[in-house]
Amino acid sequence: EAARLRTAAVLRDVASGAEAVAADARVATPNPSAEALLERALPPGTALDDAAPPTLAARVHAFLAADPRLADGADEAFDLELHGRQLRARLTRLGGAERRDAVGAAIAAVLTLDDLTELTRAQRVLAWGEMARQVAHEIKNPLTPIRLGVQHLRRAYRDGRGDFDAILERNVDRVLGEIDRLDEIARTFSRYGTAPEHRAPAEPLDVAAVARDVVALERLGQGGVAWELVGADDPAPAMARDGELREVLLNLLENARLAHARRVRLTLARHDGQVALQVDDDGHGIPADVLPRIFEPHFSTRTSGSGLGLAISRRLVEAWGGTVTARSAPGEGTTMVVALRAA
């Protein structure tokens, strides 16, 4: 009893919700934070099925049902939304000497709950602040040549230049080109900001045909890159969208070319209900401290570009139920893998 009171005193003022869970998924020694997060009183012996949402109760039951010999001392962490708040839950199995709660039930695990709502909101605000700065930077770049071109036109007109027609054509072409660039910037950022529920759903698509077309297009370009395509002779139906998948593959292949790769291989494989598209290049590679950030919307390893290519690609692929992963090392090239659900 003295040990239980000491534990309760320690947990009373802890911000994280904490509660011991018996082997039959009954609550023991909850702290006030746990009761606040679950929005109900938790007297010892309360069944977790009655005190927690079904998703949380199901995770706890599955954790307790796992073989203790394999999971002794292991942790399991997961996120959930509860009462409009974003929570991080962690289950820790208790090993060693058997512990019992105040009513004599054997304690099997400890459940902790952390409220990440404010942290998530702050991270979202920071991300959109970075996005706003990136938009301002991208818009500012085309405005400078537009301003210079218009000023040049005004001076040439005032000076009565004999070659004014040629100056007009040259500067109008430049201004129209920069306007097209501004339009593309606006479309790119708008696309990134589109909510997933507003995007068209994925549909069965022959990924092999798209891969053949994209590689054929890249072979038409300059740069002396050797483009290889492996495993795309037979149809490979997967869940995606034609135009968007072309955009994703072109972005990956262009990134390889801009990394000064001399050889780029696109390999298509089918396994475990998935169709995987793997892009391997022998470019300069990505440092380990930079690699985790390449999918961030405001990050780019180059001085040009919006820094949204990979961010948009990952959003598109994840909207289809797939994944995008990257492996790289400086001087050893980069490997990008797009895994799609087979259709």
Side-chain angles (χ1 to χ4, degrees):
E1 179 64 11
R4 187 187 68 81
L5 291 175
R6 284 197 301 271
T7 301
V10 169
L11 295 177
R12 184 177 300 119
D13 298 322
V14 174
S16 298
E19 55 189 71
V21 182
D24 59 356
R26 292 187 177 273
V27 176
T29 58
N31 70 344
S33 294
E35 295 180 328
L37 292 173
L38 294 177
E39 295 187 357
R40 62 161 297 166
L42 298 172
T46 301
L48 194 64
D49 291 326
D50 300 329
T55 53
L56 177 58
R59 294 295 291 263
V60 174
H61 279 294
F63 183 79
L64 295 174
D67 189 344
R69 293 171 299 179
L70 302 178
D72 191 17
D75 289 357
E76 179 180 330
F78 54 93
D79 295 329
L80 73 153
E81 187 173 338
L82 180 63
H83 306 308
R85 307 193 71 80
Q86 188 69 31
L87 304 182
R88 167 63 60 86
R90 180 176 293 277
L91 285 161
T92 303
R93 191 179 301 276
L94 296 181
E98 187 179 73
R99 297 161 176 82
R100 295 186 175 273
D101 64 9
V103 296
I107 298 176
V110 172
L111 170 65
T112 58
L113 299 170
D114 290 294
D115 188 352
L116 303 182
T117 306
E118 296 303 324
L119 176 60
T120 303
R121 183 178 296 118
Q123 290 175 334
R124 188 178 299 115
V125 170
L126 179 62
W128 280 110
E130 293 286 349
M131 178 72 73
R133 283 190 285 273
Q134 185 71 15
V135 171
H137 174 74
E138 292 297 322
I139 290 177
K140 183 179 178 181
N141 287 337
L143 290 180
T144 298
I146 289 175
R147 181 185 299 109
L148 294 175
V150 173
Q151 290 172 346
H152 187 200
L153 279 175
R154 184 166 62 181
R155 287 196 307 271
Y157 178 76
R158 286 177 176 177
D159 296 342
R161 294 275 297 268
D163 58 346
F164 180 77
D165 289 346
I167 295 174
L168 176 65
E169 286 295 327
R170 185 166 60 250
N171 282 278
V172 166
D173 288 342
R174 180 183 296 118
V175 168
L176 290 177
E178 295 301 332
I179 290 174
D180 289 340
R181 183 180 173 191
L182 282 171
D183 181 67
E184 181 61 26
I185 290 171
R187 291 174 182 272
T188 300
F189 280 97
S190 175
R191 186 168 211 174
Y192 180 78
T194 302
E197 60 270 19
H198 295 155
R199 297 193 182 102
E203 57 189 14
L205 175 70
D206 183 7
V207 174
V210 175
R212 290 195 298 268
D213 289 346
V214 171
V215 172
L217 180 62
E218 287 289 349
R219 285 171 176 162
L220 297 176
Q222 302 294 323
V225 180
W227 303 96
E228 299 180 17
L229 180 60
V230 180
D233 295 331
D234 298 323
M239 301 302 295
R241 293 193 62 80
D242 189 291
E244 294 175 351
L245 180 59
R246 293 174 189 272
E247 178 182 345
V248 170
L249 291 180
L250 281 172
N251 183 65
L252 298 182
L253 296 181
E254 280 297 294
N255 283 349
R257 182 178 64 81
L258 293 171
H260 301 102
R262 308 308 301 167
R263 183 176 298 276
V264 180
R265 173 182 295 175
L266 174 57
T267 304
L268 194 148
R270 310 157 183 81
H271 53 80
D272 298 332
Q274 288 186 327
V275 175
L277 293 154
Q278 179 170 315
V279 178
D280 297 286
D281 69 63
D282 60 355
H284 53 57
I286 304 172
D289 60 331
V290 171
L291 187 61
R293 302 186 59 199
I294 63 174
F295 293 107
E296 293 181 11
H298 58 277
F299 182 79
S300 176
T301 58
R302 302 192 307 272
T303 56
S304 61
S306 65
L308 282 176
L310 288 178
I312 291 177
S313 295
R314 184 171 69 171
R315 279 207 169 191
L316 292 174
V317 173
E318 289 180 349
W320 308 330
T323 60
V324 182
T325 55
R327 303 190 304 271
S328 185
E332 299 180 9
T334 301
T335 296
M336 304 291 296
V337 180
V338 177
L340 303 174
R341 292 181 294 132

